[in-house]
Amino acid sequence: MCRSIKTLRPPVLPEEATEEDIRAAALQYVRKVSGFRAPAAHNREVFDRAVEVVTEATAELLAGLEVRGQAARTS
């Protein structure tokens, strides 16, 4: 789907993903799904909210994943 979104969990990403990494992936996802690189003014609020929600969901997912051979992360 979004080939430019990189995997954000170890061991693919050697260190924890930063908030910036997570938001960039969320923005790319929302752009791909909506079909807009930058939304028109009348769509800006819903676009930005979608990026926020996807960012939060991604952070929650990464915090909850357990990678074999590594201890679970704590939030």
Side-chain angles (χ1 to χ4, degrees), residues 28-67:
Q28 186 65 23
Y29 175 81
V30 172
R31 285 176 172 168
K32 184 65 144 186
V33 170
S34 70
F36 297 112
R37 185 178 181 333
H42 63 279
N43 287 325
R44 171 60 63 190
E45 186 177 334
V46 70
F47 186 93
D48 290 345
R49 180 67 188 134
V51 173
E52 290 175 31
V53 170
V54 173
T55 298
E56 292 168 9
T58 302
E60 184 178 330
L61 170 67
L62 291 173
L65 288 176
E66 292 184 30
V67 180

